[in-house]
Amino acid sequence: MAGILAWFWNERFWLPHNVTWADLKSTDEATFPQAEDLYLVFPLAFCIFMVRFIFERFIAKPCAIALKIQANGPQIAKPNAILEKVFTSITKHPDEKRLEGLSKQLDWDVRSIQRWFRQRRNQEKPSILTRFCESMWKCSFFLYVFTYGVWILKETPWFWDTRHCWYNYPYQPLTTELHYYYILELSFYWSLVISQFTDIKRKDFGVMFLHHVVSIFLLSISYVTNMVRIGTLVLCLHDIADPLLEAAKMANYIKSQKLCDFMFLTFAVVFIFTRLGAYPVWILNSTLFESWEIIGPYPSWWILNLLLFIIQGMNCYWSYFIAKIACKALSKGKVSKDERSDIESSSDEEDSESPEKSPHTATTTNGTNGYLLTGPCSMDD
């Protein structure tokens, strides 16, 4: 194991020319990031899980109840052994031929069978109360880390001039505030990797999982190689839009359509401006050109920039869906469905559609339509 770690952390690959890991050992005069610090993220990630559990149960849930949000989930499908066997063993979205066969076997009309499969798919989905609690937790956490990030960064020279991210690199001391900020964000992304399997499932599950993995790798590597300055800028920039999204979701769950529309459109503008405008102009310009000019490229420099471009690719992917929903909201006068949601309509209009033509219909009739993102998109996300 020691040999593998020594091979992986080859200083000729990760550090600029003529710099060794020994040069970055902490002393009484200056503290630098250490690889051992990353072990802190695992107990801290567990603590975040516990804080979330306590917050959702004792803070978010009472707030939801006070706002008249019911704990009732989707309508439960009537027990039927034949349909249940088809649902669990064959398909959750039967085609027309199978629907007709089941109709003859059960002496049910096709629409009733469609309705049963829709209810059966939906009954495993979380209630609006659960969704509200999840969104309130994320909104509170994102707002906290963004506020804290701005508070500590506004006094730093690299917040105003990104060239300071590279002056005297990598011999840049690590303050207690920056250490806490970085480790907290990294721990949160570790918690997201695990909670993504238990939280509300959406169509972009794979993209979000890739995003979290890339974020964790990028955060870990940038910390160990002391690229903390540029890393904090990426984190802060990507944290701006997330509280707005979760606030829009909460407004939607309490059926405040005007507030929901306002928050979502604000989120859309902020997201697209920061991810497609500020990120390439402010961050990628610095990591590509300013760092090249001041410290020059080295092997891991290419890897880190590649990961930052992968993040930008995902930003473009999400921006497309956000812009699509925002345009519909402006044209129709209200925010429409989330293209990623799996909660289905209970309207008769959907019943008349063939399941194989619309297996992922996402509109709702009870004000539970969702939104596009569940989490941050920074170097993080």
Side-chain angles (χ1 to χ4, degrees):
M1 181 61 68
I4 294 176
L5 291 175
W7 170 82
F8 181 82
W9 292 112
N10 189 321
E11 57 195 17
R12 293 183 180 180
F13 179 84
W14 291 110
L15 297 176
H17 302 299
N18 300 320
V19 179
T20 67
W21 293 119
D23 296 330
L24 297 180
K25 288 294 184 181
S26 297
T27 64
D28 293 337
E29 291 76 24
T31 300
F32 299 103
Q34 304 297 308
E36 297 79 17
D37 296 342
L38 298 180
Y39 292 124
L40 295 173
V41 303
F42 299 109
L44 188 54
F46 175 76
C47 291
I48 290 175
F49 268 119
M50 297 306 298
V51 171
R52 173 179 176 173
F53 174 79
I54 294 171
F55 180 92
E56 290 187 357
R57 183 166 184 176
F58 297 104
I59 298 178
K61 187 175 181 179
C63 289
I65 294 175
L67 292 170
K68 310 299 183 184
I69 295 179
Q70 302 297 322
N72 299 333
Q75 185 176 355
I76 303 299
K78 294 186 296 184
N80 186 289
I82 295 175
L83 295 180
E84 184 69 24
K85 183 177 181 180
V86 173
F87 182 88
T88 56
S89 305
I90 302 176
T91 178
K92 297 181 179 180
H93 299 276
D95 56 21
E96 287 184 356
K97 184 177 180 180
R98 190 175 299 277
L99 286 171
E100 292 173 358
L102 290 170
S103 176
K104 294 177 181 179
Q105 183 178 359
L106 297 172
D107 195 24
W108 288 17
D109 61 82
V110 171
R111 178 168 293 185
S112 297
I113 298 175
Q114 287 178 317
R115 183 179 296 110
W116 188 94
F117 274 91
R118 184 183 59 254
Q119 292 173 351
R120 182 63 180 84
R121 289 191 294 268
N122 283 344
Q123 74 182 43
E124 298 177 352
K125 307 298 180 182
S127 66
I128 301 177
L129 178 65
T130 300
R131 290 166 173 263
F132 180 90
C133 293
E134 177 186 329
S135 291
M136 188 172 179
W137 156 251
K138 290 182 177 179
C139 181
S140 301
F141 184 88
F142 294 149
L143 185 60
Y144 166 72
V145 293
F146 171 68
T147 303
Y148 181 78
V150 172
W151 178 68
I152 63 173
L153 290 175
K154 65 183 177 62
E155 304 295 336
T156 63
W158 63 88
F159 185 78
W160 309 103
D161 181 2
T162 53
R163 296 177 66 87
H164 283 275
C165 292
W166 313 110
Y167 292 148
N168 197 39
Y169 176 81
Y171 306 107
Q172 299 167 340
L174 179 70
T175 65
T176 302
E177 293 80 10
L178 291 177
H179 170 77
Y180 170 75
Y181 182 44
Y182 229 76
I183 296 298
L184 179 63
E185 290 269 19
L186 182 56
S187 301
F188 180 70
Y189 281 99
W190 269 109
S191 71
L192 286 181
V193 167
I194 301 173
S195 66
Q196 189 178 3
F197 291 93
T198 58
D199 286 342
I200 300 165
K201 299 294 189 301
R202 294 180 172 89
K203 292 180 185 179
D204 66 344
F205 177 90
V207 177
M208 285 299 297
F209 185 77
L210 173 63
H211 163 271
H212 297 333
V213 171
V214 171
S215 299
I216 288 172
F217 186 75
L218 193 50
L219 280 167
S220 301
I221 296 303
S222 62
Y223 181 82
V224 174
T225 57
N226 202 22
M227 283 194 179
V228 171
R229 292 187 177 185
I230 194 68
T232 54
L233 296 183
V234 176
L235 287 170
C236 189
L237 181 67
H238 282 75
D239 285 340
I240 296 175
D242 295 318
L244 298 172
L245 173 63
E246 300 303 331
K249 290 182 182 181
M250 289 190 292
N252 182 56
Y253 298 146
I254 65 174
K255 302 181 182 180
S256 178
Q257 189 64 51
K258 290 184 178 179
L259 178 60
C260 167
D261 295 344
F262 173 77
M263 295 303 300
F264 181 80
L265 292 176
T266 302
F267 158 76
V269 171
V270 172
F271 185 96
I272 293 173
F273 173 78
T274 55
R275 306 298 176 92
L276 301 188
Y279 181 73
V281 173
W282 193 37
I283 302 298
L284 295 181
N285 175 68
S286 181
T287 61
L288 283 172
F289 302 110
E290 293 177 349
S291 65
W292 183 295
E293 176 186 347
I294 297 173
I295 63 175
Y298 50 96
S300 67
W301 180 93
W302 298 95
I303 300 298
L304 292 168
N305 275 285
L306 174 62
L307 293 174
L308 289 171
F309 270 95
I310 292 176
I311 295 295
Q312 181 63 1
M314 288 185 279
N315 287 341
C316 294
Y317 170 84
W318 283 311
S319 294
Y320 165 76
F321 289 106
I322 292 171
K324 187 175 180 180
I325 295 175
C327 289
K328 287 182 180 179
L330 292 174
S331 63
K332 296 182 179 180
K334 66 177 182 178
V335 174
S336 61
K337 68 184 180 180
D338 179 358
E339 299 293 337
R340 311 173 314 147
S341 177
D342 291 327
I343 293 295
E344 301 174 79
S345 173
S346 58
S347 66
D348 289 339
E349 180 176 84
E350 183 191 341
D351 285 339
S352 65
E353 296 181 1
S354 174
E356 74 274 12
K357 292 181 181 179
S358 58
H360 298 294
T361 301
T363 48
T364 62
T365 59
N366 58 359
T368 61
N369 49 312
Y371 292 89
L372 199 60
L373 293 175
T374 55
C377 296
S378 59
M379 181 177 175
D380 91 94
D381 150 281

